[in-house]
Every structure is written in C-alpha cells, then in structure tokens.
Amino acid sequence: MALVLCNYLLLYPGQIPKDSVEIYLDKAREIGTRYKDKRMLVEADQVQGLLYLQSNNREQGVAVLQKAVDNGLAMELYYLSLDIVMNLGDLYLENNVPQAIDYYKQGLSIAEKSGYHYYEKIFGKKLYDIYIAQNNLPEVQRYSSKLLKLYDDEEKYTNTTGFDYIDYALKDQELEAITIRSQNRQVLAIVLGVLFVITAITVIFTYRLYNLKKKHGQTLEELNHTVQLRNEKLQIDHEFNNRLVSILAHDFRQPIGALKTLATVLKDADTFTREELMELVDTMEHSSNISLEIFENILQWIKQQLSGFNYKAVPLPLKDLIDEAIQPFYLMGKDRGLRFVIKVDPAIVIHADKELVQFIHRNFIHNAIKFSPDNSTITIGASSDNNDVTVCVQDEGKGISPDKLKLLFNFKANMQYSNEKEKGAGVALMICKDFTEKMNGRIWVENNKEKGAIFCYSLPNIH
C-alpha cells in the first residue's frame, strides 16, 4: 500500500488534489515506520523532495533529495539511490551543467559497481549527449565507447541465454499457472484453517462438557455421601429413640407396678407390724426415686432434641462448674461419710454448652456416689493440653465387669442390669454420650488398677 501511494504521487502529481498529497504521503510514512521498512521511508523522502520542487521550493527540495541519496547509499539501496541521483542531475541540467555532470557521473559509478546495466546505459547516454552539445570530442569518444560496449554486452547476454519473446511468453504462462496453484493452496489453507478452528471449538466444547459432567458427578457423589451420613444419623437417632421408648415402657412399668402392689398391700395395714410397714414405705420411696431419676434424665434429653439444639461453644471456668455441679450432692455424701477431692486448676477454661456439660458432671458425680461404699473418697480431676480438656470422676467402688465395660455407652446393646441403680445409671450414660458428641468430644470409662471405676470425657481446647 505504501509503495502504491508513493508511485501514485510520482506518476500523477497533477491529478491529485493538493489537500490529499500530504495525507497520502503521511500514510506511506506511517506504514513504513510501523513495519520498519527503511526503503519505503527513503522513497517517501524522494517523493517529498520532488513535491517541493514542483511547488517551486527548489532549495528545500534539493536538500531532501540529497538526504534521501545519502540514506539510500548508507543502507545500500543502490537501485532507489540511482533513481534519486538521476532526479538531481536532471534538475541541474538546465542551469548548472557541471553540477548535473557530477550527479550523472556519480550515478554511472554506482551503477557500474552494483551491476545495474540499465542505469549504466541511461547515465552513459546522458553524459554522451552533454558532451556532444559541448563538442567535447575526447569525452564523446570515451562515453560512445562505453555505450557501444554496453550494447555489445547486452547482445552477447541475449544470444548466450537464448532469451526471446517466445520463451518470455512461456515463462509468463508458467508464472500464471504457479499463481493459480498458489491461490488454490491459499483457498485450501483457508479451508483447513476453518476446519481446524471448528475442530478446536468442538474439542474445547467436548472437554468442557466432560468437566461439567465430572463436576456434576462429584457433586452427586458428595450429596449421596451427605445423604448417607444423614441417614446413618437418623438411623442412630431412631434406634436411640426406640431404646428410650423401650426403657419408658419396660423400666417404668416395673416400679409403677410395684407401687400399685404395695398400695394394695397397704390397704390391709392392720395385718403388718410398724417395722414391716416402714420397710414397705422405704421400698416404695426407693422405687419412686429410681423412676424419677430415669424420667428426669430422659426429659432432659428430649428437651434438647425438641428445642432445635444448635451447639455453640462458650468459654466456661471448669472449677466453678464442678463446684456448682457437686453442691446438690454434699448432704447425700455427708450422710454416707463420702469425701470429695477436687483436683481442678482454677485457670482451666472449657469451651462447651453449660447446660449439656453440667448434665454430664451431675451424672458422673451421682453415679460415683451411688456405687461408692460408705466412708470412701470420690476424686474429680481435670487436665488441659493444646488439643483437649479432659475431666475424670473416680470412685472407690467395685468397678465394672469387663463384659459390661465395652457396652456401657452403646444404646444398641441389650444390657442386663443387676439392680435398679444400674438401670438408672445406664440410661444417663447413654444421654451423656449423646451430649458429648454434640459438643464434638468423646466419653469413656475404665476400671482403676486398685479399685473403683473412672468416668471421663474430653472436649476440644479452642484457642
């Protein structure tokens, strides 16, 4: 495009509107600069110099043309430089023949060195004509000899190569055929390019579909896993609920039935001595206490289930919690000569739900009291590390048989209790386990090496 614009300005200067000349020239320069085409920029300078000359701005035109010659020779653009040198020679031919001769000689020297046969003839002919007009016979003879030699060399070259117009026509046809093949290849390249783009789009689309399908599969798998976990949790809750219902149905029936029997017997109170009556009343009181204990524990658990419990751990001073939980049991322990030893550092802070953790504390302490012999010691200890806070309640009773030890917190197991005390403790411990798990902790029991049992739980230590 830049070459077309420059040639247009050179060939048809009189037919181009003046306001368009600078636009075309600036466009040619802009293209040459963008693509770093130095030859194009030199040619643009040539056009600019000739335009200055056409507008009678001779001095500036000559300066621009001379600059273009210097730049062209520096970049070894000999063909373009010869054309500009000829412009300068023609410019001085009318009023400064010596200057014109210098430019023509410069052009002839460049043409001879660079092998431009055509320009050798042009510059030689111009010098020959000047010297003919000056009647300078030595120079005429010199340049006529150069011209004869040039024409002889051209004739020999033509005969040697066998170049003629038929060969030229054939070559032209071959060139046309090559051009057609090139165009066909371009069309084929375009078609292949389009097919490649379509294939690439198809591959990308297929790959995205595959990724979406894979992500969808992963999502479904995660949902299935979540549903499975929820189903397992529901199954556990369902079994726990069934266990509680079984306890309510079985364990309450017996003490209530015993109370009914005792009430019937008391109708004939006259047949019993006072000692026998007091023994019956003690039995009724003991049975009622066990039933109330079980009932209170179950009500506590049901309250948490029905209230839409949402666990939120809060920092609580552990020593204060233990002191508060043990308070209701001091009189009971005093009557039996029990001694409470609390080994809890006041600096320990536990993160838990107060109502849930106090339920666990009360049940651990109550169980220790129930299964401790008179005049024994109950020890409550705690420890804290970077991960957990652990609380343990130790009694000095008989301990727990190994067969019951493994099943103590398992509500699925069909436990066989030896007395009413164990029934109440078993229900409470199952609820303690549920509360501990709600607080992301764990609960366990073990027999002491010397005597008694140790009930423990641990909760995460939040920093």
Side-chain angles (χ1 to χ4, degrees):
M1 175 59 72
L3 187 61
V4 168
L5 291 171
C6 287
N7 288 337
Y8 183 44
L9 292 170
L10 286 172
L11 296 174
Y12 307 103
Q15 301 178 17
I16 303 174
K18 291 183 179 180
D19 56 350
S20 300
V21 171
E22 291 295 332
I23 295 175
Y24 293 155
L25 189 57
D26 290 342
K27 179 65 175 178
R29 287 184 187 277
E30 187 270 330
I31 295 172
T33 302
R34 187 194 316 163
Y35 294 102
K36 299 179 181 179
D37 188 347
K38 296 180 179 179
R39 181 188 184 283
M40 193 68 253
L41 296 175
V42 172
E43 187 166 351
D45 287 340
Q46 179 190 10
V47 175
Q48 182 70 70
L50 293 176
L51 291 175
Y52 282 141
L53 294 176
Q54 290 172 7
S55 60
N56 297 322
N57 193 346
R58 182 185 179 88
E59 184 178 350
Q60 192 169 2
V62 170
V64 173
L65 289 174
Q66 186 60 55
K67 175 187 173 184
V69 170
D70 295 338
N71 291 336
L73 292 176
M75 291 184 283
E76 299 182 351
L77 301 175
Y78 298 120
Y79 189 86
L80 179 58
S81 300
L82 289 170
D83 196 37
I84 303 173
V85 169
M86 187 168 59
N87 293 146
L88 289 169
D90 294 342
L91 177 64
Y92 284 101
L93 187 59
E94 294 181 2
N95 53 12
N96 192 345
V97 175
Q99 185 66 46
I101 291 174
D102 289 341
Y103 278 116
Y104 290 149
K105 286 182 177 181
Q106 182 186 9
L108 181 59
S109 175
I110 295 170
E112 289 174 345
K113 291 179 181 179
S114 56
Y116 287 109
H117 183 79
Y118 172 74
Y119 276 103
E120 286 184 64
K121 291 194 300 182
I122 291 178
F123 285 114
K125 181 67 168 57
K126 287 183 178 292
L127 290 168
Y128 175 80
D129 291 340
I130 291 174
Y131 289 125
I132 283 288
Q134 293 178 350
N135 198 23
N136 188 339
L137 295 180
E139 293 296 329
V140 169
Q141 184 179 0
R142 177 186 173 190
Y143 286 101
S144 62
S145 298
K146 280 183 175 290
L147 289 173
L148 286 172
K149 185 177 183 303
L150 288 171
Y151 282 109
D152 287 342
D153 290 343
E154 185 176 354
E155 184 68 22
K156 289 178 182 179
Y157 177 77
T158 302
N159 293 334
T160 302
T161 57
F163 176 81
D164 57 27
Y165 289 103
I166 295 176
D167 289 340
Y168 181 81
L170 292 175
K171 295 297 181 182
D172 192 53
Q173 290 179 0
E174 290 180 6
L175 180 61
E176 184 178 358
I178 292 172
T179 303
I180 293 173
R181 286 199 299 271
S182 177
Q183 291 174 348
N184 292 336
R185 289 175 181 173
Q186 289 179 354
V187 172
L188 179 61
I190 293 171
V191 172
L192 291 176
V194 172
L195 290 176
F196 174 78
V197 171
I198 294 173
T199 303
I201 292 173
T202 304
V203 170
I204 293 172
F205 182 71
T206 305
Y207 179 72
R208 291 190 65 184
L209 284 178
Y210 169 76
N211 281 341
L212 288 174
K213 183 178 179 181
K214 186 177 180 181
K215 290 180 180 178
H216 183 64
Q218 291 176 349
T219 303
L220 287 177
E221 186 176 350
E222 292 174 359
L223 288 175
N224 289 334
H225 181 66
T226 303
V227 170
Q228 183 178 358
L229 292 177
R230 289 181 179 177
N231 287 338
E232 292 175 357
K233 181 66 169 57
L234 288 174
Q235 180 67 22
I236 293 173
D237 291 345
H238 178 67
E239 292 175 356
F240 191 52
N241 291 340
N242 289 341
R243 181 67 175 163
L244 290 179
V245 172
S246 175
I247 292 170
L248 288 171
H250 181 269
D251 294 352
F252 282 177
R253 182 180 294 148
Q254 182 176 349
I256 292 174
L259 288 174
K260 181 181 178 181
T261 301
L262 290 172
T264 302
V265 170
L266 288 176
K267 289 181 179 180
D268 298 325
D270 296 338
T271 61
F272 295 96
T273 64
R274 178 174 176 78
E275 289 76 11
E276 291 175 333
L277 286 173
M278 291 305 298
E279 185 177 350
L280 289 173
V281 171
D282 289 340
T283 302
M284 293 175 65
E285 182 181 9
H286 179 70
S287 180
S288 300
N289 287 336
I290 295 297
S291 299
L292 284 173
E293 179 185 336
I294 296 173
F295 190 66
E296 285 294 333
N297 290 333
I298 293 175
L299 282 180
Q300 185 74 8
W301 181 83
I302 291 175
K303 177 184 176 183
Q304 295 294 337
Q305 295 294 99
L306 296 180
S307 63
F309 176 72
N310 184 19
Y311 175 60
K312 183 177 181 181
V314 295
L316 301 167
L318 182 60
K319 180 67 166 54
D320 294 347
L321 294 178
I322 299 297
D323 291 341
E324 179 183 324
I326 207 173
Q327 190 66 36
F329 302 104
Y330 268 121
L331 290 178
M332 185 186 303
K334 184 178 181 181
D335 291 340
R336 295 179 50 195
L338 299 177
R339 188 168 66 95
F340 295 99
V341 177
I342 301 175
K343 298 179 179 180
V344 179
D345 188 345
I348 296 178
V349 175
I350 191 170
H351 292 79
D353 181 282
K354 182 178 180 180
E355 188 174 352
L356 299 190
V357 78
Q358 287 295 72
F359 179 89
I360 298 172
H361 290 157
R362 287 193 297 269
N363 275 279
F364 277 12
I365 295 169
H366 192 197
N367 285 342
I369 292 173
K370 284 195 296 185
F371 295 103
S372 291
D374 294 345
N375 302 313
S376 62
T377 300
I378 296 174
T379 304
I380 304 170
S383 62
S384 177
D385 56 28
N386 290 331
N387 298 320
D388 303 298
V389 174
T390 302
V391 179
C392 294
V393 178
Q394 177 182 344
D395 61 56
E396 296 180 348
K398 296 185 299 182
I400 304 171
S401 61
D403 58 331
K404 290 183 180 179
L405 195 64
K406 298 178 181 179
L407 305 175
L408 197 58
F409 295 105
N410 188 355
F411 60 84
K412 295 182 180 180
N414 188 15
M415 295 282 289
Q416 299 295 324
Y417 301 107
S418 58
N419 54 52
E420 294 297 327
K421 287 183 179 181
E422 290 187 1
K423 284 185 181 181
V427 174
L429 289 175
M430 285 188 286
I431 296 175
C432 287
K433 180 177 184 295
D434 182 66
F435 285 175
T436 305
E437 291 176 349
K438 278 183 168 59
M439 294 185 290
N440 305 313
R442 60 189 183 94
I443 190 170
W444 69 95
V445 61
E446 56 189 35
N447 284 320
N448 193 13
K449 293 181 179 180
E450 298 178 359
K451 57 182 177 179
I454 304 175
F455 285 83
C456 300
Y457 76 89
S458 67
L459 295 179
N461 196 353
I462 302 173
H463 299 283

